[in-house]
Amino acid sequence: MIFASTKNPRLRIDFSRGVFQGLAPDGGLYHPVETPDLSRLFKSLSPRTDFTDLASQVTAELLKDEITSHQAGEICGRAFTFAPRLVYLPPDPEAPENSGPAILELYHGPSCAFKDFGACFLASCMEEFLGTEKREAVILTATSGDTGSAVAQAFHHKKNIEVVILYPSGRVSPLQEKQLTTLGGNIRALEVQGSFDDCQAMVKAAFVDPVLIKRLTLSSANSINIGRLIPQAFYYLWAWIKTEQKELRFCVPSGNFGNLTAGVLAWTWGMGVSGFLAATNRNNVVPEYLNTGQYRPRPSLQTCSNAMDVGSPSNFDRLLAIFKGDWKKMREVMSGAEVNDENTLKTIAQVYREKAYLMDPHTAVGYHAGMGFRKKHPAAEPLVILSTAHPGKFAEVIEKAVNQSPPLPAALSALADKPKQAVLIDSNFQSLKDFLLKNY
Ligand SMILES: *Cc1c(COP(=O)(O)O)cnc(C)c1O
């Protein structure tokens, strides 16, 4: 599978090198050059095909020029020790002609959010490629809280890989800090006396420091990495095969639009889709673009679904690449809807009251948008709403919505008693450099 930079179609790379490079050297995002037709493979799958098996087969087909199908099985077997789940909710009493929505729960992985699918696949790929080439790498990443935990969990105990995570001291939640600092082993947490922006600046400086890049193979694991994008297509395919529908409509709570872009890729490979609904909070640049044709990125606004507070979504360039910049073509497959905080909280409360189903604020944005769409376009086939995180991760918002605390998932409550292990450093790049040179 060959990828090209969204800024320059001639800047190309294969998958196994692309996962270590992350961003293209010209600042563009890598994007698949070709559109493989996987419909033959899809026909051979059955509703009983389990998730890891489906992922292995799709990986083997996509990467057949670079890895064997045995390797694809190894990569996916190690990455996906968890799977998505489909939950059907009853129809709304007000609109019984519509079937109830299906919720695609993507939060049964180690950090209890959908980013586990991407992070675990990426970690597993890197481990495989480093093993074959007998190399080692250091993953360097800055986090403002949530995204770092998926990376930390995914790379824990991976061979030939060391991970250094920078986070701003006092500015991540206690639970997030536990997720970053209690793993030990090959995961080192640096508690930076500064802001998230300081952490990011330090990481950026490391990637261009001549001494460091000569000594170490530095790599990032951020969300735009193709090794995180590609596996996010697998759960759309799994849901589609499992429901035995010719076509599904997916509603995707979106921020940086990696999740939705992966769904659209699956569609280009032959998955049956009647459409994608891009659900956002008040950070509505993409719904606005779909409605008006005007793309106006802007500073992000704070909302209660804060993992989607993105004012300038990076993956928009990939969506443009898929649709060759054609607004009309994009609108044939995608529509958008914006949901404010008030409706997000109301939705959490209402679905909990009427259907005894508790969802997190990001999923609630998707649910509200999806139900609004269904009111206007009644149909019998299930609408699949992607659920991106466990409600227990967003206790404050849940308490506000339903007046009680959500249960914490077992994977996270187990962290409470583990000791924090972090190295406190100031926000100078030299401190990071000294740490890296001393330890690796
Ligand atoms: C990252 C995240 C999103 C947004 O996903 P994108 O791929 O950036 O659109 C939604 N919900 C949760 C819980 C997230 O962590």
Side-chain angles (χ1 to χ4, degrees), residues 45-51 54 84-88 104 235-245 248:
L45 302 172
S46 97
R48 283 174 308 283
T49 306
D50 79 31
F51 178 76
L54 179 149
R85 292 181 201 165
L86 258 180
V87 176
Y88 292 89
L104 181 59
Y235 45 73
Y236 289 88
L237 293 167
W238 178 82
W240 172 58
I241 303 273
K242 192 157 185 73
T243 54
E244 296 184 88
Q245 300 283 336
L248 287 177

Side-chain angles (χ1 to χ4, degrees), residues 29 91 95 239 260 270 300 332 379 404 428:
L29 273 60
L260 197 141
S300 65
E332 285 167 16
Q404 64 189 78
N428 283 322

Side-chain angles (χ1 to χ4, degrees), residues 138-149 151-152 162-172 176-177 180-181 187-207 212 218-220 421-436 440:
V138 177
I139 307 288
L140 198 54
T141 182
T143 182
S144 58
D146 206 42
T147 53
S149 63
V151 170
E162 300 287 339
V163 178
V164 178
I165 296 183
L166 285 74
Y167 71 95
S169 180
R171 302 196 199 184
V172 304
Q176 288 171 339
E177 188 169 42
L180 299 172
T181 60
I187 313 294
R188 305 287 287 270
L190 296 183
E191 180 177 1
V192 177
Q193 291 170 304
S195 65
F196 171 58
D197 291 338
D198 293 331
C199 297
Q200 263 194 323
M202 291 161 79
V203 168
K204 273 201 176 146
F207 282 109
L212 286 178
L218 286 180
S219 222
S220 70
Q421 306 172 50
V423 177
L424 195 66
I425 66 168
D426 62 39
S427 58
N428 283 322
F429 168 62
Q430 189 62 41
S431 311
L432 173 63
K433 186 169 172 177
D434 292 345
F435 176 87
L436 291 172
Y440 304 109

Side-chain angles (χ1 to χ4, degrees), residues 114-115 146 253-259 307-308 362 388-389:
F114 89 95
K115 291 191 177 70
D146 206 42
S254 296
N256 211 20
F257 280 81
N259 199 359
M308 309 197 308
H362 307 83
T388 50

